[in-house]
Amino acid sequence: MMDRYTEIIQNAYAKINLTLDILGVKADGYHELQSVMQTISLHDIITIKPGNQGIYIVCSDPAIPVDSRNLAYRAAEHFCFAAGIPPEFEIILEKYIPNQAGLGGGSSDAAAVLIMLNKMYDEPLAQNVLNSVSARIGSDVPFFIRGGTASIGGRGECIEALPDIPRYHLVIVKPRFGISTAWAYKRLDEMRGIGIAEMRAVTHTDRLAECIKTGDWDQLPCLIANDLEQPSIDRHPEIDGIKNRMLQLGAKGALMCGSGSAVFGIFGSNEEAVSASFELSVYGDVYVTQTIRPNDEADS
Ligand code: C5P
């Protein structure tokens, strides 16, 4: 174990789903999905310090629970159980990734906690164990163990790393309302129940993964798609308004992030992203960010 009085600090990066195909409902109520997920430079900062007996979470956002409803707490609990280590630490979450946005903030924090505790205790969990523990915490957590660009299957636990993509400049708008992931999936089921299901031989994820493998970078923004978007737009038409405004401002593509409510636009340069961000700030909180690669941490 590291020196008892050292602390460990790590960034926990947000994600966007460049595609999200929801293929059907599994027996356990979860959905079978395919997605190309991508980490971005927007991040929380996690500090873990050795402490008294128990798991203590301190969070910069008072709206976020600090008990077992917090995915970082659950990650610490699962780590201790799997590694046979008594819980004796404090976890400080400095939040910058907005909540209920579809950016995976809670899941990324959880993955970071697993990785950090594994480092802190001299790697008691092998990589494959870390992956399976992460899947028990939440559907998006396994992706964040590696991050970068990946094709996802199952309910989120099947990960295939894709080649790194070049840096894309993004503007993310988080409207004033949030969307619960469970609500978004339920609404999609209701819509499909009344005949809006669309079965595809080739999914958006298949097409985008192929584009990434061939390196057709101009085409990438034209292939983004999200099945959870329409149900959310029906309830919150403002999401469509934000997408259209981004396209008017020169975005090469615009899409709702994961289960929403945030929307991302892909811009040609950092300058274009910054100038669009001023116009977009009327819709909510605005973030100028970019895609990152798994080992970009140092310069982001
Ligand atoms: O796994 P996680 O707790 O992050 O999922 C939150 C909610 O999203 C689930 O309760 C479920 O309603 C929905 N979900 C789903 N299928 C997935 C992932 C999430 O139905 N593959």
Side-chain angles (χ1 to χ4, degrees):
M1 184 176 140
M2 291 174 82
D3 183 295
R4 180 154 171 86
Y5 295 101
T6 55
E7 61 179 29
I8 184 163
I9 302 180
Q10 190 170 306
N11 294 344
Y13 293 92
K15 59 83 179 163
I16 52 174
N17 300 75
L18 293 169
T19 58
L20 182 53
D21 296 284
I22 313 295
L23 305 178
V25 191
K26 290 147 58 91
D28 61 5
Y30 276 85
H31 292 72
E32 181 81 26
L33 55 82
Q34 279 188 359
S35 179
V36 174
M37 289 172 74
Q38 172 64 52
T39 37
I40 60 174
S41 59
L42 175 66
H43 61 271
D44 294 338
I45 302 174
I46 318 287
T47 305
I48 304 184
K49 294 178 182 175
N52 299 328
Q53 199 183 353
I55 301 165
Y56 297 93
I57 306 261
V58 178
C59 185
S60 60
D61 180 349
I64 294 177
V66 290
D67 55 21
S68 66
R69 287 169 293 171
N70 192 308
L71 294 188
Y73 184 101
R74 269 191 254 163
E77 241 181 5
H78 277 275
F79 174 84
C80 290
F81 183 75
I85 282 167
E88 292 173 339
F89 35 77
E90 182 177 67
I91 302 173
I92 302 159
L93 306 176
E94 224 176 291
K95 294 295 296 178
Y96 299 98
I97 306 171
N99 214 5
Q100 288 217 317
L103 294 166
S107 303
S108 184
D109 295 351
V113 165
L114 284 180
I115 293 166
M116 292 164 79
L117 287 175
N118 207 34
K119 262 189 220 155
M120 201 160 162
Y121 288 92
D122 286 337
E123 318 238 327
L125 304 186
Q127 195 62 38
N128 63 329
V129 181
L130 213 55
N131 288 339
S132 60
V133 169
S134 70
R136 277 177 238 142
I137 301 165
S139 307
D140 282 347
V141 185
F143 162 73
F144 285 109
I145 296 291
R146 175 183 178 275
T149 310
S151 172
I152 310 299
R155 69 166 250 254
E157 78 284 9
C158 306
I159 318 278
E160 184 203 335
L162 288 171
D164 291 336
I165 65 170
R167 192 164 294 191
Y168 284 89
H169 298 277
L170 309 171
V171 179
I172 293 178
V173 175
K174 165 64 181 46
R176 285 164 197 93
F177 57 88
I179 293 179
S180 119
T181 306
W183 177 87
Y185 277 98
K186 194 163 157 277
R187 188 71 198 106
L188 179 73
D189 289 343
E190 286 165 7
M191 284 177 67
R192 287 183 166 175
I194 54 170
I196 303 183
E198 183 199 332
M199 283 306 131
R200 309 176 185 113
V202 181
T203 62
H204 297 112
T205 301
D206 294 332
R207 280 204 198 94
L208 185 65
E210 193 50 38
C211 163
I212 290 172
K213 286 174 187 163
T214 54
D216 191 354
W217 306 128
D218 290 338
Q219 185 65 7
L220 183 145
C222 311
L223 295 177
I224 60 177
N226 180 349
D227 280 347
L228 292 179
E229 193 180 67
Q230 195 53 51
S232 296
I233 288 177
D234 287 353
R235 169 86 172 73
H236 301 284
E238 193 178 335
I239 290 172
D240 209 29
I242 298 169
K243 284 183 63 179
N244 289 332
R245 187 74 185 115
M246 284 178 166
L247 295 170
Q248 270 173 6
L249 291 166
K252 296 168 191 295
L255 193 71
M256 189 179 78
C257 301
S259 58
S261 62
V263 177
F264 71 91
I266 304 177
F267 288 85
S269 66
N270 187 54
E271 291 67 33
E272 283 177 45
V274 169
S275 109
S277 72
F278 295 126
E279 304 290 327
L280 290 162
S281 61
V282 291
Y283 293 104
D285 293 329
V286 177
Y287 305 84
V288 175
T289 177
Q290 52 189 238
T291 60
I292 54 164
R293 298 172 175 202
N295 299 315
D296 270 357
E297 274 82 350
D299 64 292
S300 61

